[in-house]
Amino acid sequence: MAETNIFSTLIAHCKEYGFVFQSSEIYDGLSAVYDYGQYGSQLKKNIRDEWWKSMTQLNENIVGIDAAIFMHPTTWKASGHIDNFCDPMIDNKDSNKRYRVDHLIETFAEEQEALGNKDLAAEVIQSMEKLLMVNDYPGLKKLIEDNKIKCAISKTCNWTDVREFNLMFSTQIGSVAEESETIYLRPETAQGIFVNYLNVQKTGRMKIPFGIAQTGKAFRNEIVARQFIFRMREFEQMEMQFFIRPGTQMQWFEYWKEERRKWHVSLGIPNDKLRYHNHVKLAHYADAALDIEFEFPFGWKELEGIHSRTDFDLKQHQLYSKKKIQYFDNDINEDGRPYGNYIPYVVETSVGLDRLVLTILSLAYEEEKWNKEDGTEDSRVVMRLPPKIAPIKLAILPLIKKDGLPEIAKDLMNECKQSFHCFYEEKDAIGKRYRRMDAIGTPFCVTIDHQTKEDNTVTIRYRDSMAQERMPIEEVRKIVEEKIN
Ligand code: GAP
């Protein structure tokens, strides 16, 4: 099946099996906003928990916080987001459709590559990157016109000038109109960490190098909303700011780049589906940056950003708040003196939780076909989710709804649900129930049958191999626990 077909099938599957729904669907939805259903929200939580554990439990020098979404408006002036968090946009005069310039050109390059015009594709991307570096907006417009890049709707090349568009959402705080103040929905969670740097460093008696981690919602008024939960207007980030001594940023940048890639692999993402992409145009706060990209069904795209943010943010907050944000480092340097006072430098790791969910879902989804012993064909859709993050770990299925089998199954359910998520079902033929569990990625099913009443054994069925084996009922909980840990 073509990659784009697989992607649309995956989107349909996510809806049919309760992973992801279009937000406010009964009102025809809201563009680029999605809701997670019963299995999607659990999958997302499991991934978030893995990240949280890897950062705050496995690293003794990283602590977690949970800052508010609303922040003092000066935060965004200080951080540079009011002045710089903009994307160059262009409108098509015939369709009135607005495009992010880099997306418009990238889509054109992808089409050319698919048509075999690899040199042209590379040349266009190279020119775009050079022009973006120096904010040459007339040059970008000329590039679009010279290559006759058309609007997908009007199919014309009738473009406005390239303009900047700020991506932050704003709202008002205060009940009386005259006294209200404009505040912003945070476009990144990182600033909640920076403004709490002093609080955490002092109350936690943190010693450099140390990190502060946070997960939470971020909001961006993305103009080109596309590719399902890849690019959303409301999304969730998992960010960690690592505070370090000035001058050591490249060493820590390399360290975190490797660590984060290893973490993705530990989550079950094949290493050859990941690659690094160095930024050509750096964000206003960075002196080095790269993306960890994943090969999504629609091509290689950013999954996580690693940024060396220098002392930009803390310095700016010191300037705007007029509060001294300094660290006294009493470690001894090469000259035999303490390093003394400085504003720490920062290396940031920032991964989109929704993009990670999409990564995991697209790797897990498989349509499988095989020949049965009688020569006929059988098939199934299976989500090969890694057991440790699968929403349901164990399905407990009495073979029939009578003869005391449901009672035994419910006892097992009551025992196992203390340790992990279980699903109980007694309706439909057992084969049908297995298929439903395959479709949501449940790694283990146990069936309680008449033999269970005789010898206290059950059949455990493994999702991936579909192999079945008998085991004592009292071992089920332990076996599943071992496999999911
Ligand atoms: N604090 C740094 C920062 O926000 P970023 O590269 O703009 O850096 C970090 O974003 C990560 O957040 C991205 O790698 C991506 O996974 C996720 N992300 C950014 N915009 C997103 C969007 N509109 N929808 C979903 N995820 C997004």
Side-chain angles (χ1 to χ4, degrees), residues 29-124:
L30 185 64
S31 172
V33 188
Y34 290 90
D35 298 339
Y36 286 85
Q38 61 279 26
Y39 300 124
S41 56
Q42 187 61 47
L43 173 66
K44 190 175 166 196
K45 180 183 181 303
N46 293 347
I47 297 174
R48 188 194 299 114
D49 288 350
E50 282 294 315
W51 182 89
W52 187 255
K53 180 178 171 191
S54 81
M55 284 292 175
T56 66
Q57 188 176 327
L58 301 182
N59 288 290
E60 289 160 36
N61 58 350
I62 299 182
V63 292
I65 64 164
D66 184 11
I69 288 171
F70 291 151
M71 299 183 70
H72 192 285
T74 310
T75 309
W76 305 110
K77 186 72 196 154
S79 69
H81 282 82
I82 289 180
D83 297 325
N84 297 313
F85 197 56
C86 306
D87 277 331
M89 303 285 177
I90 195 164
D91 293 20
N92 183 272
K93 289 185 198 165
D94 298 320
S95 65
N96 290 326
K97 179 139 177 68
R98 181 167 289 167
Y99 292 86
R100 238 174 86 169
V101 168
D102 57 338
H103 288 169
L104 184 68
I105 298 173
E106 272 168 17
T107 308
F108 171 76
E110 278 163 19
E111 285 163 6
Q112 292 304 315
E113 188 149 348
L115 293 170
N117 303 327
K118 287 199 170 153
D119 291 347
L120 174 62
E123 205 177 290
V124 168

Side-chain angles (χ1 to χ4, degrees), residues 156-220:
T156 68
C157 197
N158 191 9
W159 297 108
T160 61
D161 286 342
V162 174
R163 283 175 294 210
E164 285 195 329
F165 183 88
N166 195 295
L167 297 180
M168 281 197 294
F169 284 104
S170 63
T171 185
Q172 304 296 315
I173 199 163
S175 51
V176 189
E178 309 82 68
E179 286 170 17
S180 68
E181 196 174 9
T182 298
I183 56 165
Y184 298 92
L185 299 188
R186 65 183 180 197
E188 60 168 9
T189 60
Q191 295 306 323
I193 296 179
F194 291 125
V195 299
N196 277 297
Y197 163 80
L198 278 180
N199 286 336
V200 177
Q201 193 274 319
K202 287 200 175 1
T203 58
R205 292 182 295 123
M206 307 301 291
K207 214 170 158 339
I208 270 176
F210 73 91
I212 305 179
Q214 160 161 245
T215 70
K217 288 280 177 115
F219 305 83
R220 294 182 190 176

Side-chain angles (χ1 to χ4, degrees), residues 392-409:
I392 304 287
K393 312 296 188 201
L394 175 70
I396 299 175
L397 315 169
L399 188 63
I400 53 170
K401 263 199 271 184
K402 52 183 187 182
D403 301 339
L405 303 187
E407 287 75 13
I408 303 174

Side-chain angles (χ1 to χ4, degrees), residues 188 190 220 222 230-232 235 237 239 285 302-305 307 309 348 350-352 355:
E188 60 168 9
R220 294 182 190 176
E222 298 283 0
F230 179 80
R231 192 176 305 287
M232 299 154 88
F235 57 100
Q237 289 186 315
E239 300 202 296
Y285 48 71
E302 173 183 356
L303 172 61
E304 170 153 6
H307 309 123
R309 290 182 81 129
E348 166 188 72
S350 173
V351 58
R355 282 193 193 175

Side-chain angles (χ1 to χ4, degrees), residues 313-324:
D313 300 88
L314 291 182
K315 216 177 192 167
Q316 286 294 99
H317 289 306
Q318 174 171 276
L319 182 71
Y320 278 81
S321 69
K322 302 190 178 59
K323 306 264 166 19
K324 204 167 166 201

Side-chain angles (χ1 to χ4, degrees), residues 1-16 20 34 225-232 294-299 301 354-367 383:
M1 216 192 297
E3 294 288 274
T4 42
N5 277 352
I6 291 181
F7 190 47
S8 22
T9 319
L10 173 67
I11 296 172
H13 185 87
C14 284
K15 182 180 170 193
E16 193 182 342
V20 183
Y34 290 90
R226 51 179 189 178
Q227 288 144 345
F228 193 38
I229 54 172
F230 179 80
R231 192 176 305 287
M232 299 154 88
F294 171 71
E295 193 178 13
F296 287 95
F298 41 84
K301 300 276 173 201
D354 310 272
R355 282 193 193 175
L356 203 46
V357 171
L358 182 58
T359 301
I360 296 292
L361 288 171
S362 56
L363 280 170
Y365 183 85
E366 201 177 316
E367 294 174 8
M383 283 289 218

